[in-house]
PDB file of all heavy atoms in Angstrom:
ATOM      1  N   ALA A 124      75.658 -99.678 157.896  1.00 88.00           N
ATOM      2  CA  ALA A 124      76.451-100.500 156.980  1.00 88.00           C
ATOM      3  C   ALA A 124      75.576-101.445 156.151  1.00 88.00           C
ATOM      4  O   ALA A 124      75.823-101.637 154.951  1.00 88.00           O
ATOM      5  CB  ALA A 124      77.495-101.294 157.758  1.00 88.00           C
ATOM      6  N   GLU A 125      74.558-102.022 156.773  1.00 90.00           N
ATOM      7  CA  GLU A 125      73.682-102.948 156.037  1.00 90.00           C
ATOM      8  C   GLU A 125      72.903-102.216 154.949  1.00 90.00           C
ATOM      9  O   GLU A 125      72.763-102.711 153.827  1.00 90.00           O
ATOM     10  CB  GLU A 125      72.722-103.660 156.999  1.00 90.00           C
ATOM     11  CG  GLU A 125      71.868-104.709 156.314  1.00 90.00           C
ATOM     12  CD  GLU A 125      72.656-105.827 155.652  1.00 90.00           C
ATOM     13  OE1 GLU A 125      73.760-106.164 156.126  1.00 90.00           O
ATOM     14  OE2 GLU A 125      72.165-106.368 154.641  1.00 90.00           O
ATOM     15  N   GLN A 126      72.416-101.032 155.245  1.00 93.00           N
ATOM     16  CA  GLN A 126      71.708-100.241 154.235  1.00 93.00           C
ATOM     17  C   GLN A 126      72.633 -99.871 153.085  1.00 93.00           C
ATOM     18  O   GLN A 126      72.222 -99.886 151.920  1.00 93.00           O
ATOM     19  CB  GLN A 126      71.123 -98.973 154.868  1.00 93.00           C
ATOM     20  CG  GLN A 126      69.977 -99.249 155.811  1.00 93.00           C
ATOM     21  CD  GLN A 126      69.587 -98.025 156.611  1.00 93.00           C
ATOM     22  OE1 GLN A 126      70.432 -97.245 157.039  1.00 93.00           O
ATOM     23  NE2 GLN A 126      68.294 -97.858 156.838  1.00 93.00           N
ATOM     24  N   MET A 127      73.880 -99.549 153.416  1.00 91.00           N
ATOM     25  CA  MET A 127      74.860 -99.220 152.381  1.00 91.00           C
ATOM     26  C   MET A 127      75.116-100.426 151.480  1.00 91.00           C
ATOM     27  O   MET A 127      75.160-100.306 150.258  1.00 91.00           O
ATOM     28  CB  MET A 127      76.161 -98.734 153.009  1.00 91.00           C
ATOM     29  CG  MET A 127      77.204 -98.361 151.984  1.00 91.00           C
ATOM     30  SD  MET A 127      76.725 -96.984 150.932  1.00 91.00           S
ATOM     31  CE  MET A 127      77.141 -95.637 151.981  1.00 91.00           C
ATOM     32  N   ARG A 128      75.269-101.607 152.072  1.00 92.00           N
ATOM     33  CA  ARG A 128      75.478-102.824 151.281  1.00 92.00           C
ATOM     34  C   ARG A 128      74.284-103.078 150.359  1.00 92.00           C
ATOM     35  O   ARG A 128      74.456-103.467 149.202  1.00 92.00           O
ATOM     36  CB  ARG A 128      75.723-104.030 152.188  1.00 92.00           C
ATOM     37  CG  ARG A 128      77.132-104.099 152.737  1.00 92.00           C
ATOM     38  CD  ARG A 128      77.411-105.426 153.423  1.00 92.00           C
ATOM     39  NE  ARG A 128      76.645-105.587 154.658  1.00 92.00           N
ATOM     40  CZ  ARG A 128      77.041-105.126 155.837  1.00 92.00           C
ATOM     41  NH1 ARG A 128      78.174-104.500 155.972  1.00 92.00           N
ATOM     42  NH2 ARG A 128      76.285-105.322 156.914  1.00 92.00           N
ATOM     43  N   GLU A 129      73.080-102.875 150.874  1.00 94.00           N
ATOM     44  CA  GLU A 129      71.875-103.079 150.060  1.00 94.00           C
ATOM     45  C   GLU A 129      71.835-102.097 148.890  1.00 94.00           C
ATOM     46  O   GLU A 129      71.472-102.461 147.777  1.00 94.00           O
ATOM     47  CB  GLU A 129      70.626-102.932 150.924  1.00 94.00           C
ATOM     48  CG  GLU A 129      70.424-104.081 151.885  1.00 94.00           C
ATOM     49  CD  GLU A 129      69.296-103.840 152.868  1.00 94.00           C
ATOM     50  OE1 GLU A 129      68.615-102.797 152.783  1.00 94.00           O
ATOM     51  OE2 GLU A 129      69.091-104.712 153.734  1.00 94.00           O
ATOM     52  N   ARG A 130      72.216-100.867 149.149  1.00 95.00           N
ATOM     53  CA  ARG A 130      72.212 -99.855 148.088  1.00 95.00           C
ATOM     54  C   ARG A 130      73.269-100.180 147.031  1.00 95.00           C
ATOM     55  O   ARG A 130      73.015-100.091 145.833  1.00 95.00           O
ATOM     56  CB  ARG A 130      72.452 -98.474 148.676  1.00 95.00           C
ATOM     57  CG  ARG A 130      72.312 -97.380 147.627  1.00 95.00           C
ATOM     58  CD  ARG A 130      72.303 -96.022 148.231  1.00 95.00           C
ATOM     59  NE  ARG A 130      71.038 -95.810 148.924  1.00 95.00           N
ATOM     60  CZ  ARG A 130      70.680 -94.678 149.467  1.00 95.00           C
ATOM     61  NH1 ARG A 130      71.474 -93.636 149.421  1.00 95.00           N
ATOM     62  NH2 ARG A 130      69.511 -94.558 150.067  1.00 95.00           N
ATOM     63  N   VAL A 131      74.454-100.577 147.483  1.00 95.00           N
ATOM     64  CA  VAL A 131      75.517-100.961 146.539  1.00 95.00           C
ATOM     65  C   VAL A 131      75.051-102.134 145.689  1.00 95.00           C
ATOM     66  O   VAL A 131      75.245-102.150 144.470  1.00 95.00           O
ATOM     67  CB  VAL A 131      76.834-101.285 147.285  1.00 95.00           C
ATOM     68  CG1 VAL A 131      77.834-101.988 146.368  1.00 95.00           C
ATOM     69  CG2 VAL A 131      77.440-100.009 147.852  1.00 95.00           C
ATOM     70  N   PHE A 132      74.411-103.120 146.308  1.00 96.00           N
ATOM     71  CA  PHE A 132      73.905-104.265 145.556  1.00 96.00           C
ATOM     72  C   PHE A 132      72.875-103.820 144.516  1.00 96.00           C
ATOM     73  O   PHE A 132      72.917-104.233 143.365  1.00 96.00           O
ATOM     74  CB  PHE A 132      73.289-105.317 146.482  1.00 96.00           C
ATOM     75  CG  PHE A 132      72.620-106.425 145.725  1.00 96.00           C
ATOM     76  CD1 PHE A 132      73.373-107.338 145.002  1.00 96.00           C
ATOM     77  CD2 PHE A 132      71.240-106.538 145.704  1.00 96.00           C
ATOM     78  CE1 PHE A 132      72.754-108.353 144.271  1.00 96.00           C
ATOM     79  CE2 PHE A 132      70.617-107.541 144.988  1.00 96.00           C
ATOM     80  CZ  PHE A 132      71.370-108.451 144.270  1.00 96.00           C
ATOM     81  N   ALA A 133      71.939-102.963 144.920  1.00 97.00           N
ATOM     82  CA  ALA A 133      70.905-102.485 143.982  1.00 97.00           C
ATOM     83  C   ALA A 133      71.531-101.803 142.775  1.00 97.00           C
ATOM     84  O   ALA A 133      71.125-102.045 141.634  1.00 97.00           O
ATOM     85  CB  ALA A 133      69.946-101.539 144.698  1.00 97.00           C
ATOM     86  N   TYR A 134      72.513-100.953 143.002  1.00 98.00           N
ATOM     87  CA  TYR A 134      73.184-100.292 141.880  1.00 98.00           C
ATOM     88  C   TYR A 134      74.009-101.280 141.054  1.00 98.00           C
ATOM     89  O   TYR A 134      74.147-101.144 139.854  1.00 98.00           O
ATOM     90  CB  TYR A 134      74.078 -99.154 142.371  1.00 98.00           C
ATOM     91  CG  TYR A 134      73.321 -97.893 142.741  1.00 98.00           C
ATOM     92  CD1 TYR A 134      73.485 -97.308 143.989  1.00 98.00           C
ATOM     93  CD2 TYR A 134      72.456 -97.286 141.847  1.00 98.00           C
ATOM     94  CE1 TYR A 134      72.807 -96.138 144.333  1.00 98.00           C
ATOM     95  CE2 TYR A 134      71.761 -96.137 142.184  1.00 98.00           C
ATOM     96  CZ  TYR A 134      71.948 -95.565 143.416  1.00 98.00           C
ATOM     97  OH  TYR A 134      71.271 -94.421 143.747  1.00 98.00           O
ATOM     98  N   SER A 135      74.557-102.305 141.709  1.00 97.00           N
ATOM     99  CA  SER A 135      75.403-103.257 140.988  1.00 97.00           C
ATOM    100  C   SER A 135      74.628-104.096 139.976  1.00 97.00           C
ATOM    101  O   SER A 135      75.214-104.637 139.039  1.00 97.00           O
ATOM    102  CB  SER A 135      76.135-104.170 141.973  1.00 97.00           C
ATOM    103  OG  SER A 135      75.258-105.148 142.518  1.00 97.00           O
ATOM    104  N   ILE A 136      73.319-104.216 140.154  1.00 97.00           N
ATOM    105  CA  ILE A 136      72.518-105.026 139.224  1.00 97.00           C
ATOM    106  C   ILE A 136      71.752-104.171 138.215  1.00 97.00           C
ATOM    107  O   ILE A 136      70.870-104.661 137.517  1.00 97.00           O
ATOM    108  CB  ILE A 136      71.555-105.961 139.981  1.00 97.00           C
ATOM    109  CG1 ILE A 136      70.571-105.177 140.836  1.00 97.00           C
ATOM    110  CG2 ILE A 136      72.343-106.991 140.798  1.00 97.00           C
ATOM    111  CD1 ILE A 136      69.457-106.008 141.453  1.00 97.00           C
ATOM    112  N   ALA A 137      72.108-102.888 138.138  1.00 98.00           N
ATOM    113  CA  ALA A 137      71.442-101.997 137.179  1.00 98.00           C
ATOM    114  C   ALA A 137      71.663-102.503 135.753  1.00 98.00           C
ATOM    115  O   ALA A 137      72.767-102.924 135.388  1.00 98.00           O
ATOM    116  CB  ALA A 137      71.988-100.575 137.314  1.00 98.00           C
ATOM    117  N   LEU A 138      70.628-102.463 134.967  1.00 98.00           N
ATOM    118  CA  LEU A 138      70.695-102.852 133.565  1.00 98.00           C
ATOM    119  C   LEU A 138      71.104-101.657 132.722  1.00 98.00           C
ATOM    120  O   LEU A 138      70.971-100.511 133.156  1.00 98.00           O
ATOM    121  CB  LEU A 138      69.327-103.375 133.114  1.00 98.00           C
ATOM    122  CG  LEU A 138      68.802-104.586 133.874  1.00 98.00           C
ATOM    123  CD1 LEU A 138      67.375-104.896 133.448  1.00 98.00           C
ATOM    124  CD2 LEU A 138      69.719-105.779 133.689  1.00 98.00           C
ATOM    125  N   PRO A 139      71.576-101.886 131.496  1.00 97.00           N
ATOM    126  CA  PRO A 139      71.958-100.759 130.636  1.00 97.00           C
ATOM    127  C   PRO A 139      70.853 -99.708 130.488  1.00 97.00           C
ATOM    128  O   PRO A 139      71.146 -98.505 130.444  1.00 97.00           O
ATOM    129  CB  PRO A 139      72.282-101.427 129.298  1.00 97.00           C
ATOM    130  CG  PRO A 139      72.771-102.788 129.690  1.00 97.00           C
ATOM    131  CD  PRO A 139      71.905-103.179 130.874  1.00 97.00           C
ATOM    132  N   ASP A 140      69.600-100.143 130.444  1.00 97.00           N
ATOM    133  CA  ASP A 140      68.491 -99.186 130.325  1.00 97.00           C
ATOM    134  C   ASP A 140      68.286 -98.353 131.589  1.00 97.00           C
ATOM    135  O   ASP A 140      67.605 -97.332 131.555  1.00 97.00           O
ATOM    136  CB  ASP A 140      67.186 -99.904 129.993  1.00 97.00           C
ATOM    137  CG  ASP A 140      67.149-100.411 128.563  1.00 97.00           C
ATOM    138  OD1 ASP A 140      68.016 -99.997 127.757  1.00 97.00           O
ATOM    139  OD2 ASP A 140      66.259-101.209 128.248  1.00 97.00           O
ATOM    140  N   ASP A 141      68.859 -98.785 132.720  1.00 98.00           N
ATOM    141  CA  ASP A 141      68.739 -98.050 133.978  1.00 98.00           C
ATOM    142  C   ASP A 141      69.789 -96.948 134.110  1.00 98.00           C
ATOM    143  O   ASP A 141      69.712 -96.111 135.001  1.00 98.00           O
ATOM    144  CB  ASP A 141      68.900 -99.004 135.172  1.00 98.00           C
ATOM    145  CG  ASP A 141      67.838-100.078 135.199  1.00 98.00           C
ATOM    146  OD1 ASP A 141      66.672 -99.768 134.875  1.00 98.00           O
ATOM    147  OD2 ASP A 141      68.172-101.228 135.554  1.00 98.00           O
ATOM    148  N   ILE A 142      70.779 -96.967 133.238  1.00 98.00           N
ATOM    149  CA  ILE A 142      71.901 -96.028 133.272  1.00 98.00           C
ATOM    150  C   ILE A 142      71.630 -94.901 132.294  1.00 98.00           C
ATOM    151  O   ILE A 142      71.254 -95.145 131.151  1.00 98.00           O
ATOM    152  CB  ILE A 142      73.210 -96.758 132.911  1.00 98.00           C
ATOM    153  CG1 ILE A 142      73.496 -97.849 133.938  1.00 98.00           C
ATOM    154  CG2 ILE A 142      74.372 -95.779 132.788  1.00 98.00           C
ATOM    155  CD1 ILE A 142      74.591 -98.802 133.541  1.00 98.00           C
ATOM    156  N   GLY A 143      71.806 -93.657 132.753  1.00 98.00           N
ATOM    157  CA  GLY A 143      71.528 -92.549 131.844  1.00 98.00           C
ATOM    158  C   GLY A 143      72.077 -91.233 132.333  1.00 98.00           C
ATOM    159  O   GLY A 143      73.031 -91.178 133.120  1.00 98.00           O
ATOM    160  N   ALA A 144      71.445 -90.166 131.860  1.00 98.00           N
ATOM    161  CA  ALA A 144      71.826 -88.812 132.235  1.00 98.00           C
ATOM    162  C   ALA A 144      70.611 -87.920 132.121  1.00 98.00           C
ATOM    163  O   ALA A 144      69.705 -88.189 131.326  1.00 98.00           O
ATOM    164  CB  ALA A 144      72.941 -88.308 131.322  1.00 98.00           C
ATOM    165  N   GLN A 145      70.585 -86.882 132.926  1.00 98.00           N
ATOM    166  CA  GLN A 145      69.501 -85.911 132.881  1.00 98.00           C
ATOM    167  C   GLN A 145      70.099 -84.514 132.766  1.00 98.00           C
ATOM    168  O   GLN A 145      71.200 -84.265 133.255  1.00 98.00           O
ATOM    169  CB  GLN A 145      68.662 -85.984 134.151  1.00 98.00           C
ATOM    170  CG  GLN A 145      67.908 -87.267 134.319  1.00 98.00           C
ATOM    171  CD  GLN A 145      67.155 -87.315 135.657  1.00 98.00           C
ATOM    172  OE1 GLN A 145      67.264 -86.440 136.488  1.00 98.00           O
ATOM    173  NE2 GLN A 145      66.390 -88.382 135.837  1.00 98.00           N
ATOM    174  N   ARG A 146      69.343 -83.633 132.134  1.00 98.00           N
ATOM    175  CA  ARG A 146      69.760 -82.231 132.065  1.00 98.00           C
ATOM    176  C   ARG A 146      69.847 -81.686 133.477  1.00 98.00           C
ATOM    177  O   ARG A 146      69.071 -82.070 134.347  1.00 98.00           O
ATOM    178  CB  ARG A 146      68.766 -81.400 131.244  1.00 98.00           C
ATOM    179  CG  ARG A 146      68.732 -81.743 129.779  1.00 98.00           C
ATOM    180  CD  ARG A 146      69.993 -81.461 129.031  1.00 98.00           C
ATOM    181  NE  ARG A 146      70.197 -80.023 128.855  1.00 98.00           N
ATOM    182  CZ  ARG A 146      71.315 -79.477 128.426  1.00 98.00           C
ATOM    183  NH1 ARG A 146      72.343 -80.230 128.120  1.00 98.00           N
ATOM    184  NH2 ARG A 146      71.429 -78.189 128.294  1.00 98.00           N
ATOM    185  N   TRP A 147      70.792 -80.773 133.706  1.00 97.00           N
ATOM    186  CA  TRP A 147      71.000 -80.226 135.031  1.00 97.00           C
ATOM    187  C   TRP A 147      71.378 -78.768 134.915  1.00 97.00           C
ATOM    188  O   TRP A 147      72.157 -78.393 134.047  1.00 97.00           O
ATOM    189  CB  TRP A 147      72.128 -80.998 135.709  1.00 97.00           C
ATOM    190  CG  TRP A 147      72.226 -80.778 137.175  1.00 97.00           C
ATOM    191  CD1 TRP A 147      73.039 -79.898 137.821  1.00 97.00           C
ATOM    192  CD2 TRP A 147      71.504 -81.454 138.194  1.00 97.00           C
ATOM    193  NE1 TRP A 147      72.867 -79.978 139.163  1.00 97.00           N
ATOM    194  CE2 TRP A 147      71.923 -80.939 139.424  1.00 97.00           C
ATOM    195  CE3 TRP A 147      70.533 -82.449 138.178  1.00 97.00           C
ATOM    196  CZ2 TRP A 147      71.400 -81.390 140.641  1.00 97.00           C
ATOM    197  CZ3 TRP A 147      70.023 -82.888 139.377  1.00 97.00           C
ATOM    198  CH2 TRP A 147      70.454 -82.362 140.595  1.00 97.00           C
ATOM    199  N   GLU A 148      70.817 -77.966 135.785  1.00 97.00           N
ATOM    200  CA  GLU A 148      71.171 -76.550 135.839  1.00 97.00           C
ATOM    201  C   GLU A 148      71.656 -76.231 137.244  1.00 97.00           C
ATOM    202  O   GLU A 148      71.102 -76.724 138.220  1.00 97.00           O
ATOM    203  CB  GLU A 148      69.970 -75.679 135.496  1.00 97.00           C
ATOM    204  CG  GLU A 148      69.513 -75.828 134.067  1.00 97.00           C
ATOM    205  CD  GLU A 148      68.332 -74.929 133.727  1.00 97.00           C
ATOM    206  OE1 GLU A 148      67.715 -74.363 134.659  1.00 97.00           O
ATOM    207  OE2 GLU A 148      68.028 -74.810 132.538  1.00 97.00           O
ATOM    208  N   GLN A 149      72.685 -75.387 137.300  1.00 95.00           N
ATOM    209  CA  GLN A 149      73.299 -75.082 138.580  1.00 95.00           C
ATOM    210  C   GLN A 149      73.935 -73.686 138.498  1.00 95.00           C
ATOM    211  O   GLN A 149      74.481 -73.324 137.455  1.00 95.00           O
ATOM    212  CB  GLN A 149      74.368 -76.145 138.823  1.00 95.00           C
ATOM    213  CG  GLN A 149      75.021 -76.169 140.149  1.00 95.00           C
ATOM    214  CD  GLN A 149      75.958 -77.363 140.227  1.00 95.00           C
ATOM    215  OE1 GLN A 149      76.833 -77.522 139.384  1.00 95.00           O
ATOM    216  NE2 GLN A 149      75.775 -78.197 141.226  1.00 95.00           N
ATOM    217  N   VAL A 150      73.869 -72.935 139.572  1.00 97.00           N
ATOM    218  CA  VAL A 150      74.542 -71.633 139.602  1.00 97.00           C
ATOM    219  C   VAL A 150      75.986 -71.860 140.031  1.00 97.00           C
ATOM    220  O   VAL A 150      76.247 -72.457 141.078  1.00 97.00           O
ATOM    221  CB  VAL A 150      73.832 -70.655 140.563  1.00 97.00           C
ATOM    222  CG1 VAL A 150      74.609 -69.352 140.653  1.00 97.00           C
ATOM    223  CG2 VAL A 150      72.405 -70.412 140.098  1.00 97.00           C
TER     224      VAL A 150
END
């Protein structure tokens, strides 16, 4: 649970430049 909270916090402070998309290929 503590690791999950830390991860949620890290994502919650993402800046606009940290948000994006990457090309993806999948069968």
Side-chain angles (χ1 to χ4, degrees):
E125 185 60 30
Q126 290 169 322
M127 181 63 82
R128 281 190 292 274
E129 289 172 3
R130 186 170 288 186
V131 167
F132 173 70
Y134 282 126
S135 75
I136 61 172
L138 300 173
D140 288 347
D141 299 321
I142 298 169
Q145 294 176 355
R146 293 295 288 169
W147 194 264
E148 294 181 348
Q149 188 175 55
V150 176

